[in-house]
Amino acid sequence: MVTTPEISVGARAKYEPVIGLEVHVQLLTVTKIFCSCSTRFGAPPNTNVCPVCLGLPGALPVLNRKAVEFAVLAAMALNCRINETSIFARKNYFYPDLPKGYQISQYDKPLAEFGWINIPSGAGEKKIGITRLHLEEDAGKSLHEGFADSADTTAIDLNRSGVPLIEIVSEPDISSPDEAYEYLTRLKEIILYTGVSDCNMEEGSLRCDANVSVRPRGQKQLGTKTEIKNVNSFRFIREALEYEVDRQVGILESGGKIIQETRLYDANQGKTYSMRSKEEAHDYRYFPEPDLLPLVLDEKSLAEIGNMLPELPEAKRKRMVSEYGITSYDAQVLTASKTLADEFEAAAKRAKNPKRVANLVQSELVGRLKAKGLDIGQSPISMKGVALSADLVESGAISGKMLKDLYDLCFERNQDFPEVYEKEKPQQITDSSAIEKIIDDVIAANAKQLEQYRAGKKTVMGFFVGQVMKASKGQANPQMVNELLSKKLEG
Ligand SMILES: [Zn+2]
């Protein structure tokens, strides 16, 4: 339950929220950023470690080329300018899960800057600036539960120490919690398309902190901001921001002052609460990392990485709309993941009528998936199956009704369409004398409706079609039924 402070609509309307987001994304490299230890999630504690990631004296970091490639790919996908030279820096602070006493990050010379992404906003699109994207290593993890003595002891797992991250910092261009949600959704979608991260929030592969302040509408100067940390879902970030905006407006309206501080979000209570004030904040004393050379990316290596950049979701949607004659809503559903989009395209290209494939996904697949609480990636019917069913309807081998029944069976049995079709092979009646026989019976049994039809009430046609289809158990070819029925009714 979200409990927001009591703020009148009028008070809220007087202020404009200013939001900036910092997103950490774990890169999907096999090994860590400065050593050859595995990055695998879920290994027993402290088994993926070596002198480098344990921070032992004298151990030297060696930069992982793949981590650089992945970071550059992400930066390109986010329309950033890649700096030819970027510098690794030591960010000094003490924390039990940081054995070196500093984190290797990038500071005043980051890998990339000046990017942007578009998000849907109101009727159109809004461009959100990306200040910078830099590479850094992750810290270890403090474990506060799961041990016999957890009540009074904290354990440290350093498997995560040295796992490569990119930090993506947005401009404070975001002006509502909804926009923040859209930004994160689009950002995640783009990163997933590049394949450089799985963006799995439960496993911490994507983490987000939000900076938020409010200011009277029309005022240029920014208000005092607070930082909300460690929120573990996009929905909770939106809720936390909604709460925090109202909290700040409430304080200002009652003549108070916002304190610059770090706050945490309690999803159960729907409230943010203070973690530490700025007075206790760190001065990181950044300085260039002496054990690593500046990272230099020449044009040739950037061009090579650029060649690996796949078509991104926005471009793909635009192309699919024009290429397959589908709506932008269809395109949105079909590009939910890159795998799905690729499968759809492969199927649509093979099918006789690509538009029908898209329509079937919309009209027959999405609803059934929703009813079962499945995501489109978990569909029992593959895109290949959808394409086959579209072709069967297109050629008149099965009717729309049969297709629906077959789809139901696929979901019941959790089997793909080709399998179910092969087993059931519903036979459509295309023998005109057999259909005529059914029509004759139906007409004979419904003299009153026949009279209405002949008196000019042509809408009764629908009734007759329904009766004939029912009598044929849905197997009569609908087009033939329509043709033969019109002839017979006209007498
Ligand atoms: Zn290591």
Side-chain angles (χ1 to χ4, degrees), residues 361-388:
V361 171
Q362 278 306 314
S363 61
E364 303 300 336
L365 199 57
V366 172
R368 284 179 173 79
L369 289 169
K370 234 183 220 156
K372 283 226 161 187
L374 297 175
D375 157 306
I376 198 152
Q378 304 165 304
S379 170
I381 304 177
S382 67
M383 281 296 145
K384 241 187 198 155
V386 177
L388 170 65

PDB file of all heavy atoms in Angstrom, residues 361-388:
ATOM      1  N   VAL A 361      -1.006 -12.886 -33.824  1.00  0.00           N
ATOM      2  CA  VAL A 361      -0.302 -12.671 -32.564  1.00  0.00           C
ATOM      3  C   VAL A 361      -1.154 -11.767 -31.682  1.00  0.00           C
ATOM      4  O   VAL A 361      -1.406 -12.047 -30.510  1.00  0.00           O
ATOM      5  CB  VAL A 361       1.079 -12.032 -32.797  1.00  0.00           C
ATOM      6  CG1 VAL A 361       1.703 -11.608 -31.472  1.00  0.00           C
ATOM      7  CG2 VAL A 361       2.009 -13.004 -33.522  1.00  0.00           C
ATOM      8  N   GLN A 362      -1.650 -10.680 -32.277  1.00  0.00           N
ATOM      9  CA  GLN A 362      -2.467  -9.717 -31.547  1.00  0.00           C
ATOM     10  C   GLN A 362      -3.783 -10.301 -31.071  1.00  0.00           C
ATOM     11  O   GLN A 362      -4.147 -10.185 -29.916  1.00  0.00           O
ATOM     12  CB  GLN A 362      -2.813  -8.532 -32.461  1.00  0.00           C
ATOM     13  CG  GLN A 362      -1.742  -7.502 -32.564  1.00  0.00           C
ATOM     14  CD  GLN A 362      -1.323  -7.002 -31.206  1.00  0.00           C
ATOM     15  OE1 GLN A 362      -2.143  -6.700 -30.359  1.00  0.00           O
ATOM     16  NE2 GLN A 362      -0.032  -6.952 -30.989  1.00  0.00           N
ATOM     17  N   SER A 363      -4.529 -10.931 -32.018  1.00  0.00           N
ATOM     18  CA  SER A 363      -5.909 -11.295 -31.711  1.00  0.00           C
ATOM     19  C   SER A 363      -6.023 -12.640 -31.005  1.00  0.00           C
ATOM     20  O   SER A 363      -6.925 -12.843 -30.215  1.00  0.00           O
ATOM     21  CB  SER A 363      -6.737 -11.305 -32.994  1.00  0.00           C
ATOM     22  OG  SER A 363      -6.215 -12.269 -33.884  1.00  0.00           O
ATOM     23  N   GLU A 364      -5.124 -13.574 -31.303  1.00  0.00           N
ATOM     24  CA  GLU A 364      -5.284 -14.915 -30.734  1.00  0.00           C
ATOM     25  C   GLU A 364      -4.239 -15.289 -29.700  1.00  0.00           C
ATOM     26  O   GLU A 364      -4.503 -16.079 -28.813  1.00  0.00           O
ATOM     27  CB  GLU A 364      -5.274 -15.970 -31.864  1.00  0.00           C
ATOM     28  CG  GLU A 364      -6.331 -15.755 -32.930  1.00  0.00           C
ATOM     29  CD  GLU A 364      -7.758 -15.797 -32.370  1.00  0.00           C
ATOM     30  OE1 GLU A 364      -7.958 -16.418 -31.310  1.00  0.00           O
ATOM     31  OE2 GLU A 364      -8.652 -15.190 -32.979  1.00  0.00           O
ATOM     32  N   LEU A 365      -3.047 -14.745 -29.841  1.00  0.00           N
ATOM     33  CA  LEU A 365      -1.968 -15.196 -28.956  1.00  0.00           C
ATOM     34  C   LEU A 365      -1.883 -14.376 -27.659  1.00  0.00           C
ATOM     35  O   LEU A 365      -1.878 -14.920 -26.561  1.00  0.00           O
ATOM     36  CB  LEU A 365      -0.636 -15.136 -29.713  1.00  0.00           C
ATOM     37  CG  LEU A 365       0.506 -15.958 -29.145  1.00  0.00           C
ATOM     38  CD1 LEU A 365       0.121 -17.425 -29.023  1.00  0.00           C
ATOM     39  CD2 LEU A 365       1.759 -15.824 -30.002  1.00  0.00           C
ATOM     40  N   VAL A 366      -1.849 -13.048 -27.826  1.00  0.00           N
ATOM     41  CA  VAL A 366      -1.600 -12.172 -26.675  1.00  0.00           C
ATOM     42  C   VAL A 366      -2.644 -12.372 -25.562  1.00  0.00           C
ATOM     43  O   VAL A 366      -2.293 -12.487 -24.388  1.00  0.00           O
ATOM     44  CB  VAL A 366      -1.527 -10.696 -27.129  1.00  0.00           C
ATOM     45  CG1 VAL A 366      -1.464  -9.768 -25.931  1.00  0.00           C
ATOM     46  CG2 VAL A 366      -0.297 -10.476 -28.004  1.00  0.00           C
ATOM     47  N   GLY A 367      -3.915 -12.471 -25.928  1.00  0.00           N
ATOM     48  CA  GLY A 367      -4.987 -12.647 -24.944  1.00  0.00           C
ATOM     49  C   GLY A 367      -4.838 -13.958 -24.182  1.00  0.00           C
ATOM     50  O   GLY A 367      -4.998 -14.006 -22.961  1.00  0.00           O
ATOM     51  N   ARG A 368      -4.537 -15.036 -24.926  1.00  0.00           N
ATOM     52  CA  ARG A 368      -4.379 -16.346 -24.275  1.00  0.00           C
ATOM     53  C   ARG A 368      -3.185 -16.337 -23.314  1.00  0.00           C
ATOM     54  O   ARG A 368      -3.218 -16.951 -22.263  1.00  0.00           O
ATOM     55  CB  ARG A 368      -4.207 -17.444 -25.327  1.00  0.00           C
ATOM     56  CG  ARG A 368      -5.508 -17.816 -26.020  1.00  0.00           C
ATOM     57  CD  ARG A 368      -5.275 -18.887 -27.080  1.00  0.00           C
ATOM     58  NE  ARG A 368      -6.530 -19.373 -27.639  1.00  0.00           N
ATOM     59  CZ  ARG A 368      -7.234 -18.739 -28.566  1.00  0.00           C
ATOM     60  NH1 ARG A 368      -6.803 -17.566 -29.026  1.00  0.00           N
ATOM     61  NH2 ARG A 368      -8.362 -19.229 -29.035  1.00  0.00           N
ATOM     62  N   LEU A 369      -2.127 -15.649 -23.730  1.00  0.00           N
ATOM     63  CA  LEU A 369      -0.940 -15.567 -22.868  1.00  0.00           C
ATOM     64  C   LEU A 369      -1.280 -14.816 -21.594  1.00  0.00           C
ATOM     65  O   LEU A 369      -0.936 -15.226 -20.490  1.00  0.00           O
ATOM     66  CB  LEU A 369       0.205 -14.849 -23.597  1.00  0.00           C
ATOM     67  CG  LEU A 369       0.849 -15.634 -24.740  1.00  0.00           C
ATOM     68  CD1 LEU A 369       1.775 -14.732 -25.553  1.00  0.00           C
ATOM     69  CD2 LEU A 369       1.617 -16.831 -24.212  1.00  0.00           C
ATOM     70  N   LYS A 370      -1.988 -13.714 -21.762  1.00  0.00           N
ATOM     71  CA  LYS A 370      -2.360 -12.883 -20.613  1.00  0.00           C
ATOM     72  C   LYS A 370      -3.193 -13.688 -19.627  1.00  0.00           C
ATOM     73  O   LYS A 370      -2.956 -13.656 -18.424  1.00  0.00           O
ATOM     74  CB  LYS A 370      -3.165 -11.670 -21.100  1.00  0.00           C
ATOM     75  CG  LYS A 370      -2.541 -10.360 -20.607  1.00  0.00           C
ATOM     76  CD  LYS A 370      -3.353  -9.166 -21.001  1.00  0.00           C
ATOM     77  CE  LYS A 370      -2.444  -8.028 -21.423  1.00  0.00           C
ATOM     78  NZ  LYS A 370      -3.078  -7.083 -22.313  1.00  0.00           N
ATOM     79  N   ALA A 371      -4.172 -14.440 -20.179  1.00  0.00           N
ATOM     80  CA  ALA A 371      -5.054 -15.227 -19.326  1.00  0.00           C
ATOM     81  C   ALA A 371      -4.263 -16.235 -18.501  1.00  0.00           C
ATOM     82  O   ALA A 371      -4.643 -16.589 -17.392  1.00  0.00           O
ATOM     83  CB  ALA A 371      -6.100 -15.943 -20.178  1.00  0.00           C
ATOM     84  N   LYS A 372      -3.168 -16.730 -19.071  1.00  0.00           N
ATOM     85  CA  LYS A 372      -2.356 -17.736 -18.358  1.00  0.00           C
ATOM     86  C   LYS A 372      -1.220 -17.094 -17.570  1.00  0.00           C
ATOM     87  O   LYS A 372      -0.426 -17.801 -16.936  1.00  0.00           O
ATOM     88  CB  LYS A 372      -1.769 -18.721 -19.367  1.00  0.00           C
ATOM     89  CG  LYS A 372      -2.780 -19.745 -19.853  1.00  0.00           C
ATOM     90  CD  LYS A 372      -2.177 -21.136 -19.836  1.00  0.00           C
ATOM     91  CE  LYS A 372      -3.259 -22.192 -19.870  1.00  0.00           C
ATOM     92  NZ  LYS A 372      -2.754 -23.533 -19.693  1.00  0.00           N
ATOM     93  N   GLY A 373      -1.132 -15.772 -17.650  1.00  0.00           N
ATOM     94  CA  GLY A 373      -0.051 -15.079 -16.951  1.00  0.00           C
ATOM     95  C   GLY A 373       1.319 -15.374 -17.546  1.00  0.00           C
ATOM     96  O   GLY A 373       2.325 -15.362 -16.851  1.00  0.00           O
ATOM     97  N   LEU A 374       1.348 -15.698 -18.829  1.00  0.00           N
ATOM     98  CA  LEU A 374       2.626 -15.999 -19.487  1.00  0.00           C
ATOM     99  C   LEU A 374       3.123 -14.794 -20.255  1.00  0.00           C
ATOM    100  O   LEU A 374       2.351 -13.974 -20.736  1.00  0.00           O
ATOM    101  CB  LEU A 374       2.471 -17.170 -20.466  1.00  0.00           C
ATOM    102  CG  LEU A 374       2.078 -18.528 -19.885  1.00  0.00           C
ATOM    103  CD1 LEU A 374       1.844 -19.517 -21.007  1.00  0.00           C
ATOM    104  CD2 LEU A 374       3.157 -19.032 -18.943  1.00  0.00           C
ATOM    105  N   ASP A 375       4.423 -14.769 -20.388  1.00  0.00           N
ATOM    106  CA  ASP A 375       5.064 -13.727 -21.160  1.00  0.00           C
ATOM    107  C   ASP A 375       5.203 -14.304 -22.570  1.00  0.00           C
ATOM    108  O   ASP A 375       5.180 -15.521 -22.728  1.00  0.00           O
ATOM    109  CB  ASP A 375       6.323 -13.554 -20.367  1.00  0.00           C
ATOM    110  CG  ASP A 375       7.519 -12.992 -20.964  1.00  0.00           C
ATOM    111  OD1 ASP A 375       8.023 -13.424 -21.988  1.00  0.00           O
ATOM    112  OD2 ASP A 375       7.981 -12.113 -20.280  1.00  0.00           O
ATOM    113  N   ILE A 376       5.307 -13.446 -23.564  1.00  0.00           N
ATOM    114  CA  ILE A 376       5.259 -13.956 -24.937  1.00  0.00           C
ATOM    115  C   ILE A 376       6.412 -14.909 -25.218  1.00  0.00           C
ATOM    116  O   ILE A 376       6.293 -15.830 -26.038  1.00  0.00           O
ATOM    117  CB  ILE A 376       5.164 -12.793 -25.956  1.00  0.00           C
ATOM    118  CG1 ILE A 376       4.685 -13.297 -27.302  1.00  0.00           C
ATOM    119  CG2 ILE A 376       6.476 -12.038 -26.062  1.00  0.00           C
ATOM    120  CD1 ILE A 376       3.940 -12.288 -28.119  1.00  0.00           C
ATOM    121  N   GLY A 377       7.514 -14.753 -24.485  1.00  0.00           N
ATOM    122  CA  GLY A 377       8.654 -15.666 -24.651  1.00  0.00           C
ATOM    123  C   GLY A 377       8.349 -17.075 -24.141  1.00  0.00           C
ATOM    124  O   GLY A 377       9.049 -18.030 -24.458  1.00  0.00           O
ATOM    125  N   GLN A 378       7.285 -17.215 -23.326  1.00  0.00           N
ATOM    126  CA  GLN A 378       6.946 -18.530 -22.767  1.00  0.00           C
ATOM    127  C   GLN A 378       5.768 -19.174 -23.496  1.00  0.00           C
ATOM    128  O   GLN A 378       5.216 -20.166 -23.038  1.00  0.00           O
ATOM    129  CB  GLN A 378       6.547 -18.375 -21.291  1.00  0.00           C
ATOM    130  CG  GLN A 378       7.607 -17.704 -20.430  1.00  0.00           C
ATOM    131  CD  GLN A 378       7.034 -17.236 -19.096  1.00  0.00           C
ATOM    132  OE1 GLN A 378       6.070 -16.471 -19.063  1.00  0.00           O
ATOM    133  NE2 GLN A 378       7.620 -17.683 -17.998  1.00  0.00           N
ATOM    134  N   SER A 379       5.392 -18.598 -24.634  1.00  0.00           N
ATOM    135  CA  SER A 379       4.228 -19.092 -25.370  1.00  0.00           C
ATOM    136  C   SER A 379       4.423 -20.528 -25.850  1.00  0.00           C
ATOM    137  O   SER A 379       5.477 -20.865 -26.378  1.00  0.00           O
ATOM    138  CB  SER A 379       3.984 -18.191 -26.582  1.00  0.00           C
ATOM    139  OG  SER A 379       3.023 -18.787 -27.423  1.00  0.00           O
ATOM    140  N   PRO A 380       3.391 -21.389 -25.655  1.00  0.00           N
ATOM    141  CA  PRO A 380       3.520 -22.746 -26.212  1.00  0.00           C
ATOM    142  C   PRO A 380       3.556 -22.698 -27.748  1.00  0.00           C
ATOM    143  O   PRO A 380       4.156 -23.563 -28.374  1.00  0.00           O
ATOM    144  CB  PRO A 380       2.267 -23.462 -25.708  1.00  0.00           C
ATOM    145  CG  PRO A 380       1.319 -22.384 -25.319  1.00  0.00           C
ATOM    146  CD  PRO A 380       2.143 -21.195 -24.921  1.00  0.00           C
ATOM    147  N   ILE A 381       2.910 -21.688 -28.318  1.00  0.00           N
ATOM    148  CA  ILE A 381       2.896 -21.572 -29.786  1.00  0.00           C
ATOM    149  C   ILE A 381       4.051 -20.684 -30.223  1.00  0.00           C
ATOM    150  O   ILE A 381       4.128 -19.519 -29.842  1.00  0.00           O
ATOM    151  CB  ILE A 381       1.556 -20.983 -30.276  1.00  0.00           C
ATOM    152  CG1 ILE A 381       0.391 -21.837 -29.755  1.00  0.00           C
ATOM    153  CG2 ILE A 381       1.529 -20.901 -31.802  1.00  0.00           C
ATOM    154  CD1 ILE A 381      -0.976 -21.301 -30.118  1.00  0.00           C
ATOM    155  N   SER A 382       4.944 -21.258 -30.991  1.00  0.00           N
ATOM    156  CA  SER A 382       6.099 -20.495 -31.465  1.00  0.00           C
ATOM    157  C   SER A 382       5.680 -19.609 -32.631  1.00  0.00           C
ATOM    158  O   SER A 382       4.578 -19.750 -33.182  1.00  0.00           O
ATOM    159  CB  SER A 382       7.188 -21.454 -31.935  1.00  0.00           C
ATOM    160  OG  SER A 382       6.732 -22.136 -33.085  1.00  0.00           O
ATOM    161  N   MET A 383       6.546 -18.696 -33.017  1.00  0.00           N
ATOM    162  CA  MET A 383       6.254 -17.851 -34.171  1.00  0.00           C
ATOM    163  C   MET A 383       6.129 -18.698 -35.442  1.00  0.00           C
ATOM    164  O   MET A 383       5.355 -18.394 -36.330  1.00  0.00           O
ATOM    165  CB  MET A 383       7.358 -16.808 -34.337  1.00  0.00           C
ATOM    166  CG  MET A 383       7.199 -15.659 -33.383  1.00  0.00           C
ATOM    167  SD  MET A 383       5.665 -14.744 -33.719  1.00  0.00           S
ATOM    168  CE  MET A 383       5.229 -14.313 -32.074  1.00  0.00           C
ATOM    169  N   LYS A 384       6.907 -19.766 -35.489  1.00  0.00           N
ATOM    170  CA  LYS A 384       6.810 -20.690 -36.625  1.00  0.00           C
ATOM    171  C   LYS A 384       5.389 -21.267 -36.670  1.00  0.00           C
ATOM    172  O   LYS A 384       4.787 -21.404 -37.727  1.00  0.00           O
ATOM    173  CB  LYS A 384       7.797 -21.846 -36.421  1.00  0.00           C
ATOM    174  CG  LYS A 384       8.838 -21.969 -37.483  1.00  0.00           C
ATOM    175  CD  LYS A 384       9.612 -23.249 -37.210  1.00  0.00           C
ATOM    176  CE  LYS A 384      10.920 -23.216 -37.952  1.00  0.00           C
ATOM    177  NZ  LYS A 384      11.913 -24.069 -37.321  1.00  0.00           N
ATOM    178  N   GLY A 385       4.876 -21.624 -35.490  1.00  0.00           N
ATOM    179  CA  GLY A 385       3.538 -22.172 -35.377  1.00  0.00           C
ATOM    180  C   GLY A 385       2.491 -21.160 -35.813  1.00  0.00           C
ATOM    181  O   GLY A 385       1.532 -21.499 -36.515  1.00  0.00           O
ATOM    182  N   VAL A 386       2.687 -19.903 -35.410  1.00  0.00           N
ATOM    183  CA  VAL A 386       1.741 -18.858 -35.803  1.00  0.00           C
ATOM    184  C   VAL A 386       1.764 -18.716 -37.337  1.00  0.00           C
ATOM    185  O   VAL A 386       0.718 -18.607 -37.983  1.00  0.00           O
ATOM    186  CB  VAL A 386       2.088 -17.504 -35.141  1.00  0.00           C
ATOM    187  CG1 VAL A 386       1.136 -16.413 -35.624  1.00  0.00           C
ATOM    188  CG2 VAL A 386       2.023 -17.612 -33.619  1.00  0.00           C
ATOM    189  N   ALA A 387       2.957 -18.762 -37.910  1.00  0.00           N
ATOM    190  CA  ALA A 387       3.073 -18.607 -39.363  1.00  0.00           C
ATOM    191  C   ALA A 387       2.365 -19.752 -40.091  1.00  0.00           C
ATOM    192  O   ALA A 387       1.639 -19.528 -41.060  1.00  0.00           O
ATOM    193  CB  ALA A 387       4.545 -18.556 -39.765  1.00  0.00           C
ATOM    194  N   LEU A 388       2.535 -20.985 -39.583  1.00  0.00           N
ATOM    195  CA  LEU A 388       1.873 -22.127 -40.221  1.00  0.00           C
ATOM    196  C   LEU A 388       0.359 -21.960 -40.136  1.00  0.00           C
ATOM    197  O   LEU A 388      -0.364 -22.154 -41.122  1.00  0.00           O
ATOM    198  CB  LEU A 388       2.301 -23.439 -39.531  1.00  0.00           C
ATOM    199  CG  LEU A 388       1.496 -24.677 -39.949  1.00  0.00           C
ATOM    200  CD1 LEU A 388       1.731 -25.008 -41.421  1.00  0.00           C
ATOM    201  CD2 LEU A 388       1.845 -25.883 -39.084  1.00  0.00           C
TER     202      LEU A 388
END
